[in-house]
Amino acid sequence: MVHDTITVYAPLREVYDQWTQFEEFPRFMHGVVEVRQIDDRHAHWRTSIAGVTREFDTEIVDQLPDERISWRTVGGDVRQKGVVTFLRLDDRNTEVTLSMDFAPEGAAEKAAAAVGVVESRVAGDLLRFKAFVEDHDGATGGWRGRLRPAEASDAPRAGEPGTGEDAAAPTAPPGPPSHPMPVDPGHL
């Protein structure tokens, strides 16, 4: 499990709205080449890290505006789930917390996970997200729809972290709410 928190110097609504713009992720997420929004709930990702290209699909399991977005992979080369939460600290400051669980494949990915490379990547991605939001005058867009876990597909995913009763609804760690940030942690 990877867990990190950062304070963004921008209002909650602006920070949340920017996070919902998945197609902008290549502008601040290391190794993300393209994100194509398929529909309100699904996106297709293409990453290239250390010369290895991966493609995978994600599904938003739960999205509550200004509070959280949880997701899981539903197809492709990557198995992960996570939640990103947003907490209003005051009128100009928002705390963003990302928690993610993933299944590394192969010796190289397991070794990278064991020495903290994934945690470093997530921390760097959050820092770049913070800079992206703080350097822009408002979000580049925003989607404020509500997606409920009961409406997500419930087919089990082979090899998905946490496959079982909890696979359909990733949960935030104890403490303030947190939100998901799809990243390709296992392919460094």
Side-chain angles (χ1 to χ4, degrees):
M1 173 72 83
V2 176
H3 179 82
D4 203 352
T5 300
I6 196 163
T7 298
V8 179
Y9 302 106
L12 171 64
R13 184 179 181 117
E14 180 179 328
V15 174
Y16 174 86
D17 283 353
Q18 186 60 59
W19 194 275
T20 68
Q21 301 305 291
F22 302 119
E23 292 182 351
E24 298 281 344
F25 278 24
R27 295 177 70 180
F28 56 82
M29 290 185 78
H30 175 74
V32 175
V33 175
E34 176 187 28
V35 180
R36 188 172 18 97
Q37 191 79 37
I38 298 168
D39 59 30
D40 290 345
R41 193 175 288 274
H42 299 93
H44 181 78
W45 295 72
R46 186 166 50 96
T47 62
S48 181
I49 299 172
V52 177
T53 298
R54 302 287 177 145
E55 293 196 36
F56 57 99
D57 297 315
T58 56
E59 174 183 48
I60 301 298
V61 176
D62 186 19
Q63 183 167 339
L64 181 60
D66 296 334
E67 189 175 313
R68 73 178 166 274
I69 303 169
S70 65
W71 85 97
R72 64 181 170 195
T73 54
V74 292
D77 300 331
V78 176
R79 299 285 177 250
Q80 63 176 246
K81 66 179 181 175
V83 61
V84 61
T85 60
F86 306 87
L87 177 65
R88 178 187 179 275
L89 298 176
D90 58 38
D91 289 347
R92 295 289 308 156
N93 294 283
T94 303
E95 184 177 88
V96 178
T97 301
L98 172 65
S99 298
M100 184 179 68
D101 195 12
F102 65 97
E105 297 179 20
E109 292 173 5
K110 289 177 182 175
V115 298
V117 173
V118 176
E119 288 85 352
S120 294
R121 281 215 34 240
V122 168
D125 288 343
L126 284 175
L127 282 170
R128 285 184 293 278
F129 173 74
K130 170 187 172 69
F132 184 85
V133 171
E134 292 174 358
D135 289 346
H136 285 80
D137 187 25
T140 61
W143 189 79
R144 306 199 57 79
R146 173 70 168 115
L147 298 174
R148 292 174 173 76
E151 299 162 351
S153 64
D154 57 5
R157 313 287 184 264
E160 179 179 283
T163 297
E165 290 182 22
D166 67 334
T171 57
S178 62
H179 292 240
M181 177 172 167
V183 294
D184 180 8
H187 303 91
L188 306 172

